[in-house]
């Protein structure tokens, strides 16, 4: 039998090869489906517990924190976010590399690219923190994770839109232009409902009116969904790219 030397053609084939568009869809669908499952289960099986607040007035929708703190909802959410977080770090690194290539000789843009990358990491860490420390376990830590996630998310969107406004001054493909327009719309949408969520939350705590907390919960859903949609724009930004695990060429091995 003929011996095939190690290092032949088979050895150089990619071990994993995934289109970036598929990775983007999977990454967004994990928290989306997890959120839908948690809210539906909370409404069906834990309605009173999930809609209860200190005001003890009628409410009709659970907040996200309440929906993901119950059992088995918390395990569904943790499973979804656990699988979702690793690709998010990968996408953040991909964007950082993309911006460095676009702004290789511009100091201001490179500094903003670094800040955007750090905000993307902070957003993901905040999401992991609020996920694995529920509001019924250690509320102060959960609250800090939530504030970290929302603050980093809004600032990340703002910095991303600014970077893409600079890119738009030079050349954009039709897909990149579509992505840029959607980013701006989703950022404004997200900010509007963030402000509304804060308004309804403060109003609920101050006046304890029936149903107001449900308006807060609805705004919270839209904030999170618009955040997911914003990250989904990577579908257009890296439409022709692939994620691969392969053996590097001889000259590039360490």
């Amino acid at each position: 039998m003929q011996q095939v030397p190690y290092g032949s053609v088979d050895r150089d084939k990619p071990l994993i090869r995934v289109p970036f568009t598929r990775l983007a869809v999977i990454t967004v669908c994990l928290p989306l489906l997890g959120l839908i499952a948690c809210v539906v289960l909370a409404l069906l099986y834990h309605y009173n517990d999930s809609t209860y607040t200190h005001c003890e007035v009628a409410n009709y929708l659970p907040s996200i924190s309440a929906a993901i703190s119950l059992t088995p909802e918390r395990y569904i959410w943790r499973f979804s976010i656990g699988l979702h977080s690793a690709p998010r770090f990968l996408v953040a690194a991909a964007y950082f590399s993309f911006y460095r290539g676009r702004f290789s000789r511009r100091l201001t843009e490179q500094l903003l690219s670094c800040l955007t990358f750090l905000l993307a990491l902070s957003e993901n860490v905040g999401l992991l923190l609020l996920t694995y420390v529920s509001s019924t376990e250690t509320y102060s830590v959960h609250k800090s994770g939530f504030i970290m996630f929302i603050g980093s998310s809004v600032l990340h969107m703002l910095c991303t839109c600014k970077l893409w406004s600079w890119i738009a001054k030079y050349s954009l493909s039709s897909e990149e232009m579509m992505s840029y327009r959607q980013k701006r719309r989703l950022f404004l949408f997200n900010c509007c409902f963030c402000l509304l969520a804060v308004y309804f939350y403060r109003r609920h705590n101050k006046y304890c009116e029936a149903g107001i907390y449900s308006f807060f919960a609805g705004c919270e859903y839209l904030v999170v969904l618009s955040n997911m949609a914003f990250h989904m724009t990577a579908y257009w930004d890296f439409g022709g790219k692939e994620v691969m695990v392969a053996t590097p060429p001889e000259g590039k091995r360490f």
Side-chain angles (χ1 to χ4, degrees):
M1 187 175 73
Q2 185 178 3
Q3 295 289 328
V4 179
Y6 182 70
S8 63
V9 176
D10 288 340
R11 181 174 178 271
D12 295 330
K13 288 182 179 179
L15 300 175
I16 300 174
R17 188 170 187 169
V18 181
F20 207 101
T21 50
R22 186 179 301 172
L23 179 68
V25 171
I26 293 172
T27 303
V28 172
C29 282
L30 282 168
L32 176 61
L33 296 176
L35 177 61
I36 293 172
C38 289
V39 172
V40 170
L41 287 173
L43 288 171
L44 291 177
Y45 299 106
H46 306 107
Y47 182 80
N48 291 332
D49 291 337
S50 64
T51 58
Y52 174 83
T53 70
H54 69 282
C55 288
E56 298 185 348
V57 295
N59 287 301
Y60 312 105
L61 288 174
S63 67
I64 293 177
S65 294
I68 67 174
S69 65
L70 301 165
T71 304
E73 291 90 327
R74 72 175 67 182
Y75 303 121
I76 295 172
W77 182 247
R78 288 173 181 177
F79 177 78
S80 301
I81 296 303
L83 293 177
H84 160 84
S85 60
R88 278 283 297 275
F89 285 119
L90 177 64
V91 172
Y95 269 113
F96 183 54
S97 178
F98 170 77
Y99 294 140
R100 287 182 64 188
R102 288 290 185 121
F103 304 120
S104 58
R105 297 183 180 180
R106 298 180 177 85
L107 180 60
T108 302
E109 287 86 340
Q110 283 201 2
L111 291 175
L112 188 60
S113 300
C114 291
L115 177 60
T116 305
F117 176 64
L118 293 175
L119 287 169
L121 298 183
S122 176
E123 178 186 345
N124 206 21
V125 170
L127 178 59
L128 289 169
L129 188 60
L130 72 89
T131 294
Y132 287 96
V133 182
S134 69
S135 59
T136 56
E137 293 172 336
T138 309
Y139 178 74
S140 59
V141 176
H142 177 85
K143 181 180 178 181
S144 298
F146 182 80
I147 293 172
M148 182 180 181
F149 168 70
I150 292 296
S152 299
S153 170
V154 172
L155 291 174
H156 174 261
M157 289 183 184
L158 175 62
C159 292
T160 299
C161 288
K162 184 60 180 177
L163 286 169
W164 278 85
S165 70
W166 285 334
I167 294 173
K169 292 179 181 178
Y170 302 99
S171 61
L172 285 177
S173 66
S174 59
E175 288 187 343
E176 288 175 333
M177 182 58 72
M178 169 68 76
S179 174
Y180 174 47
R181 288 172 180 168
Q182 294 300 325
K183 283 179 172 65
R184 288 189 305 177
R185 292 168 184 165
L186 289 166
F187 170 64
L188 294 174
F189 183 92
N190 186 275
C191 287
C192 288
F193 280 95
C194 274
L195 294 174
L196 282 173
V198 171
Y199 166 75
F200 287 123
Y201 183 80
R202 292 171 65 94
R203 180 170 169 174
H204 168 76
N205 286 335
K206 187 174 183 179
Y207 300 110
C208 286
E209 299 168 287
I212 292 298
Y213 198 75
S214 299
F215 284 108
F216 160 73
C219 291
E220 191 181 32
Y221 299 163
L222 291 173
V223 167
V224 172
L225 290 173
S226 60
N227 174 271
M228 294 179 190
F230 189 93
H231 288 291
M232 186 63 193
T233 58
Y235 186 95
W236 291 298
D237 299 336
F238 302 109
K241 302 294 191 296
E242 291 181 328
V243 177
M244 291 194 300
V245 176
T247 304
E250 288 288 345
K252 294 187 178 181
R253 294 175 191 169
F254 293 97

